[in-house]
mmCIF file of all heavy atoms in Angstrom:
data_model
loop_
_atom_site.group_PDB
_atom_site.id
_atom_site.type_symbol
_atom_site.label_atom_id
_atom_site.label_comp_id
_atom_site.label_asym_id
_atom_site.label_seq_id
_atom_site.Cartn_x
_atom_site.Cartn_y
_atom_site.Cartn_z
ATOM 1 N N VAL A 210 101.283 78.551 58.799
ATOM 2 C CA VAL A 210 100.626 79.646 58.084
ATOM 3 C C VAL A 210 99.414 80.080 58.899
ATOM 4 O O VAL A 210 98.617 79.246 59.327
ATOM 5 C CB VAL A 210 100.182 79.179 56.675
ATOM 6 C CG1 VAL A 210 99.267 80.212 56.022
ATOM 7 C CG2 VAL A 210 101.398 78.912 55.789
ATOM 8 N N PHE A 211 99.327 81.366 59.154
ATOM 9 C CA PHE A 211 98.105 81.920 59.754
ATOM 10 C C PHE A 211 98.012 83.377 59.324
ATOM 11 O O PHE A 211 99.017 83.967 58.903
ATOM 12 C CB PHE A 211 98.083 81.752 61.284
ATOM 13 C CG PHE A 211 99.244 82.355 62.024
ATOM 14 C CD1 PHE A 211 99.223 83.678 62.426
ATOM 15 C CD2 PHE A 211 100.358 81.587 62.347
ATOM 16 C CE1 PHE A 211 100.291 84.226 63.125
ATOM 17 C CE2 PHE A 211 101.427 82.125 63.054
ATOM 18 C CZ PHE A 211 101.395 83.452 63.438
ATOM 19 N N PRO A 212 96.837 83.979 59.396
ATOM 20 C CA PRO A 212 96.677 85.348 58.881
ATOM 21 C C PRO A 212 97.353 86.368 59.791
ATOM 22 O O PRO A 212 97.411 86.183 61.002
ATOM 23 C CB PRO A 212 95.160 85.543 58.871
ATOM 24 C CG PRO A 212 94.591 84.167 59.019
ATOM 25 C CD PRO A 212 95.566 83.391 59.821
ATOM 26 N N ASN A 213 97.841 87.467 59.188
ATOM 27 C CA ASN A 213 98.685 88.384 59.954
ATOM 28 C C ASN A 213 98.018 89.681 60.376
ATOM 29 O O ASN A 213 98.659 90.557 60.917
ATOM 30 C CB ASN A 213 99.955 88.717 59.168
ATOM 31 C CG ASN A 213 99.654 89.433 57.872
ATOM 32 O OD1 ASN A 213 98.504 89.508 57.467
ATOM 33 N ND2 ASN A 213 100.680 89.947 57.217
ATOM 34 N N GLY A 214 96.754 89.848 60.093
ATOM 35 C CA GLY A 214 96.100 91.098 60.491
ATOM 36 C C GLY A 214 94.686 91.095 59.956
ATOM 37 O O GLY A 214 94.158 90.055 59.555
ATOM 38 N N ARG A 215 94.079 92.270 59.941
ATOM 39 C CA ARG A 215 92.683 92.320 59.487
ATOM 40 C C ARG A 215 92.650 92.513 57.982
ATOM 41 O O ARG A 215 92.281 93.572 57.481
ATOM 42 C CB ARG A 215 91.966 93.446 60.220
ATOM 43 C CG ARG A 215 91.991 93.215 61.714
ATOM 44 C CD ARG A 215 90.909 93.948 62.464
ATOM 45 N NE ARG A 215 90.734 93.303 63.758
ATOM 46 C CZ ARG A 215 91.008 93.881 64.929
ATOM 47 N NH1 ARG A 215 91.427 95.107 64.964
ATOM 48 N NH2 ARG A 215 90.831 93.225 66.055
ATOM 49 N N THR A 216 93.035 91.473 57.243
ATOM 50 C CA THR A 216 93.204 91.656 55.799
ATOM 51 C C THR A 216 92.092 91.032 54.966
ATOM 52 O O THR A 216 92.011 91.286 53.776
ATOM 53 C CB THR A 216 94.539 91.050 55.335
ATOM 54 O OG1 THR A 216 94.617 89.718 55.815
ATOM 55 C CG2 THR A 216 95.721 91.835 55.861
ATOM 56 N N PHE A 217 91.259 90.197 55.573
ATOM 57 C CA PHE A 217 90.260 89.486 54.768
ATOM 58 C C PHE A 217 88.871 90.109 54.902
ATOM 59 O O PHE A 217 88.507 90.625 55.959
ATOM 60 C CB PHE A 217 90.193 88.015 55.183
ATOM 61 C CG PHE A 217 91.454 87.256 54.851
ATOM 62 C CD1 PHE A 217 92.322 86.849 55.844
ATOM 63 C CD2 PHE A 217 91.770 86.965 53.527
ATOM 64 C CE1 PHE A 217 93.488 86.158 55.530
ATOM 65 C CE2 PHE A 217 92.932 86.277 53.201
ATOM 66 C CZ PHE A 217 93.797 85.874 54.209
ATOM 67 N N GLY A 218 88.092 90.045 53.798
ATOM 68 C CA GLY A 218 86.722 90.564 53.810
ATOM 69 C C GLY A 218 85.762 89.515 53.288
ATOM 70 O O GLY A 218 86.185 88.427 52.861
ATOM 71 N N PRO A 219 84.458 89.833 53.312
ATOM 72 C CA PRO A 219 83.468 88.876 52.810
ATOM 73 C C PRO A 219 83.830 88.410 51.399
ATOM 74 O O PRO A 219 84.241 89.220 50.564
ATOM 75 C CB PRO A 219 82.167 89.688 52.810
ATOM 76 C CG PRO A 219 82.394 90.750 53.841
ATOM 77 C CD PRO A 219 83.853 91.080 53.797
ATOM 78 N N GLY A 220 83.691 87.130 51.166
ATOM 79 C CA GLY A 220 84.086 86.551 49.878
ATOM 80 C C GLY A 220 85.449 85.876 49.960
ATOM 81 O O GLY A 220 85.820 85.070 49.106
ATOM 82 N N ASP A 221 86.204 86.212 51.030
ATOM 83 C CA ASP A 221 87.563 85.662 51.176
ATOM 84 C C ASP A 221 87.598 84.412 52.062
ATOM 85 O O ASP A 221 88.687 83.945 52.424
ATOM 86 C CB ASP A 221 88.493 86.702 51.829
ATOM 87 C CG ASP A 221 88.871 87.817 50.877
ATOM 88 O OD1 ASP A 221 88.796 87.601 49.653
ATOM 89 O OD2 ASP A 221 89.245 88.897 51.364
ATOM 90 N N GLU A 222 86.430 83.880 52.414
ATOM 91 C CA GLU A 222 86.400 82.812 53.425
ATOM 92 C C GLU A 222 87.386 81.687 53.133
ATOM 93 O O GLU A 222 88.070 81.187 54.029
ATOM 94 C CB GLU A 222 84.974 82.230 53.554
ATOM 95 C CG GLU A 222 83.993 83.136 54.281
ATOM 96 C CD GLU A 222 83.503 84.316 53.435
ATOM 97 O OE1 GLU A 222 83.868 84.395 52.232
ATOM 98 O OE2 GLU A 222 82.772 85.167 53.972
ATOM 99 N N GLU A 223 87.453 81.279 51.868
ATOM 100 C CA GLU A 223 88.298 80.111 51.566
ATOM 101 C C GLU A 223 89.797 80.436 51.615
ATOM 102 O O GLU A 223 90.635 79.554 51.471
ATOM 103 C CB GLU A 223 87.918 79.536 50.198
ATOM 104 C CG GLU A 223 86.534 78.890 50.253
ATOM 105 C CD GLU A 223 86.191 78.140 48.984
ATOM 106 O OE1 GLU A 223 86.569 78.636 47.900
ATOM 107 O OE2 GLU A 223 85.560 77.080 49.078
ATOM 108 N N TYR A 224 90.106 81.710 51.829
ATOM 109 C CA TYR A 224 91.515 82.108 51.954
ATOM 110 C C TYR A 224 91.937 82.161 53.427
ATOM 111 O O TYR A 224 93.096 82.424 53.728
ATOM 112 C CB TYR A 224 91.734 83.481 51.314
ATOM 113 C CG TYR A 224 91.435 83.488 49.828
ATOM 114 C CD1 TYR A 224 90.146 83.707 49.354
ATOM 115 C CD2 TYR A 224 92.445 83.242 48.908
ATOM 116 C CE1 TYR A 224 89.867 83.696 47.999
ATOM 117 C CE2 TYR A 224 92.174 83.234 47.544
ATOM 118 C CZ TYR A 224 90.885 83.460 47.097
ATOM 119 O OH TYR A 224 90.620 83.440 45.753
ATOM 120 N N CYS A 225 90.954 81.960 54.295
ATOM 121 C CA CYS A 225 91.224 82.091 55.736
ATOM 122 C C CYS A 225 91.678 80.743 56.285
ATOM 123 O O CYS A 225 90.858 79.897 56.652
ATOM 124 C CB CYS A 225 89.964 82.559 56.453
ATOM 125 S SG CYS A 225 89.437 84.181 55.896
ATOM 126 N N LEU A 226 92.971 80.563 56.338
ATOM 127 C CA LEU A 226 93.529 79.252 56.677
ATOM 128 C C LEU A 226 94.562 79.372 57.790
ATOM 129 O O LEU A 226 95.352 80.320 57.808
ATOM 130 C CB LEU A 226 94.233 78.657 55.447
ATOM 131 C CG LEU A 226 93.350 78.372 54.229
ATOM 132 C CD1 LEU A 226 94.194 78.249 52.974
ATOM 133 C CD2 LEU A 226 92.550 77.094 54.461
ATOM 134 N N CYS A 227 94.547 78.399 58.681
ATOM 135 C CA CYS A 227 95.576 78.319 59.719
ATOM 136 C C CYS A 227 95.979 76.853 59.828
ATOM 137 O O CYS A 227 95.161 75.997 60.187
ATOM 138 C CB CYS A 227 95.006 78.834 61.041
ATOM 139 S SG CYS A 227 96.154 78.710 62.419
ATOM 140 N N PHE A 228 97.216 76.564 59.476
ATOM 141 C CA PHE A 228 97.651 75.165 59.418
ATOM 142 C C PHE A 228 99.179 75.100 59.481
ATOM 143 O O PHE A 228 99.858 76.141 59.424
ATOM 144 C CB PHE A 228 97.182 74.512 58.104
ATOM 145 C CG PHE A 228 97.824 75.129 56.895
ATOM 146 C CD1 PHE A 228 99.013 74.618 56.375
ATOM 147 C CD2 PHE A 228 97.282 76.257 56.294
ATOM 148 C CE1 PHE A 228 99.637 75.203 55.280
ATOM 149 C CE2 PHE A 228 97.898 76.860 55.203
ATOM 150 C CZ PHE A 228 99.072 76.332 54.691
ATOM 151 N N ALA A 229 99.684 73.881 59.548
ATOM 152 C CA ALA A 229 101.145 73.683 59.517
ATOM 153 C C ALA A 229 101.455 72.445 58.688
ATOM 154 O O ALA A 229 100.699 71.465 58.706
ATOM 155 C CB ALA A 229 101.680 73.510 60.930
ATOM 156 N N VAL A 230 102.562 72.513 57.953
ATOM 157 C CA VAL A 230 103.044 71.347 57.192
ATOM 158 C C VAL A 230 104.569 71.299 57.289
ATOM 159 O O VAL A 230 105.211 72.326 57.555
ATOM 160 C CB VAL A 230 102.658 71.407 55.685
ATOM 161 C CG1 VAL A 230 101.184 71.164 55.478
ATOM 162 C CG2 VAL A 230 103.095 72.715 55.047
ATOM 163 N N PRO A 231 105.151 70.127 57.034
ATOM 164 C CA PRO A 231 106.619 70.090 56.963
ATOM 165 C C PRO A 231 107.092 70.842 55.726
ATOM 166 O O PRO A 231 106.366 70.916 54.726
ATOM 167 C CB PRO A 231 106.943 68.595 56.827
ATOM 168 C CG PRO A 231 105.670 67.865 57.043
ATOM 169 C CD PRO A 231 104.544 68.808 56.823
ATOM 170 N N THR A 232 108.295 71.379 55.767
ATOM 171 C CA THR A 232 108.824 72.075 54.582
ATOM 172 C C THR A 232 109.120 71.079 53.457
ATOM 173 O O THR A 232 109.374 71.481 52.327
ATOM 174 C CB THR A 232 110.120 72.839 54.927
ATOM 175 O OG1 THR A 232 110.974 71.974 55.669
ATOM 176 C CG2 THR A 232 109.834 74.092 55.717
ATOM 177 N N THR A 233 109.074 69.797 53.801
ATOM 178 C CA THR A 233 109.308 68.760 52.790
ATOM 179 C C THR A 233 107.989 68.267 52.180
ATOM 180 O O THR A 233 107.993 67.307 51.401
ATOM 181 C CB THR A 233 110.029 67.560 53.440
ATOM 182 O OG1 THR A 233 109.279 67.166 54.594
ATOM 183 C CG2 THR A 233 111.445 67.916 53.856
ATOM 184 N N ALA A 234 106.875 68.909 52.517
ATOM 185 C CA ALA A 234 105.563 68.449 52.031
ATOM 186 C C ALA A 234 105.536 68.416 50.505
ATOM 187 O O ALA A 234 106.070 69.318 49.842
ATOM 188 C CB ALA A 234 104.468 69.375 52.554
ATOM 189 N N SER A 235 104.891 67.398 49.988
ATOM 190 C CA SER A 235 104.798 67.261 48.537
ATOM 191 C C SER A 235 104.020 68.442 47.953
ATOM 192 O O SER A 235 102.921 68.758 48.410
ATOM 193 C CB SER A 235 104.098 65.930 48.229
ATOM 194 O OG SER A 235 103.842 65.849 46.867
ATOM 195 N N GLY A 236 104.594 69.103 46.953
ATOM 196 C CA GLY A 236 103.927 70.230 46.293
ATOM 197 C C GLY A 236 104.327 71.591 46.839
ATOM 198 O O GLY A 236 103.980 72.617 46.256
ATOM 199 N N LEU A 237 105.060 71.629 47.948
ATOM 200 C CA LEU A 237 105.482 72.920 48.511
ATOM 201 C C LEU A 237 106.786 73.375 47.851
ATOM 202 O O LEU A 237 107.806 72.681 47.924
ATOM 203 C CB LEU A 237 105.669 72.806 50.030
ATOM 204 C CG LEU A 237 106.256 74.041 50.726
ATOM 205 C CD1 LEU A 237 105.425 75.294 50.463
ATOM 206 C CD2 LEU A 237 106.369 73.813 52.236
ATOM 207 N N LYS A 238 106.711 74.540 47.209
ATOM 208 C CA LYS A 238 107.893 75.067 46.512
ATOM 209 C C LYS A 238 108.332 76.365 47.189
ATOM 210 O O LYS A 238 107.517 77.260 47.391
ATOM 211 C CB LYS A 238 107.558 75.343 45.043
ATOM 212 C CG LYS A 238 107.198 74.063 44.298
ATOM 213 C CD LYS A 238 106.640 74.350 42.938
ATOM 214 C CE LYS A 238 105.872 73.170 42.371
ATOM 215 N NZ LYS A 238 106.410 71.837 42.599
ATOM 216 N N MET A 239 109.625 76.425 47.498
ATOM 217 C CA MET A 239 110.162 77.632 48.137
ATOM 218 C C MET A 239 110.927 78.426 47.086
ATOM 219 O O MET A 239 111.978 77.988 46.612
ATOM 220 C CB MET A 239 111.090 77.240 49.287
ATOM 221 C CG MET A 239 110.386 76.397 50.335
ATOM 222 S SD MET A 239 111.497 75.921 51.664
ATOM 223 C CE MET A 239 111.259 74.159 51.676
ATOM 224 N N MET A 240 110.373 79.571 46.709
ATOM 225 C CA MET A 240 110.975 80.414 45.671
ATOM 226 C C MET A 240 111.770 81.517 46.377
ATOM 227 O O MET A 240 111.181 82.484 46.869
ATOM 228 C CB MET A 240 109.889 81.057 44.807
ATOM 229 C CG MET A 240 108.778 80.117 44.360
ATOM 230 S SD MET A 240 109.283 79.002 43.057
ATOM 231 C CE MET A 240 109.639 80.117 41.737
ATOM 232 N N CYS A 241 113.090 81.354 46.412
ATOM 233 C CA CYS A 241 113.918 82.289 47.192
ATOM 234 C C CYS A 241 114.215 83.559 46.403
ATOM 235 O O CYS A 241 114.312 83.541 45.178
ATOM 236 C CB CYS A 241 115.246 81.641 47.550
ATOM 237 S SG CYS A 241 115.037 80.187 48.576
ATOM 238 N N ARG A 242 114.399 84.636 47.133
ATOM 239 C CA ARG A 242 114.922 85.842 46.492
ATOM 240 C C ARG A 242 116.391 85.600 46.160
ATOM 241 O O ARG A 242 117.006 84.644 46.651
ATOM 242 C CB ARG A 242 114.783 87.051 47.414
ATOM 243 C CG ARG A 242 115.614 86.959 48.675
ATOM 244 C CD ARG A 242 115.817 88.306 49.328
ATOM 245 N NE ARG A 242 116.219 88.174 50.718
ATOM 246 C CZ ARG A 242 117.422 87.816 51.127
ATOM 247 N NH1 ARG A 242 118.370 87.524 50.237
ATOM 248 N NH2 ARG A 242 117.709 87.707 52.406
#
Side-chain angles (χ1 to χ4, degrees):
V210 169
F211 57 87
N213 63 349
R215 300 202 160 114
T216 51
F217 293 109
D221 286 337
E222 286 76 4
E223 291 188 323
Y224 298 86
C225 298
L226 297 161
C227 177
F228 65 91
V230 288
T232 47
T233 52
S235 172
L237 174 57
K238 296 170 199 321
M239 301 179 233
M240 315 285 296
C241 298
R242 65 161 161 75

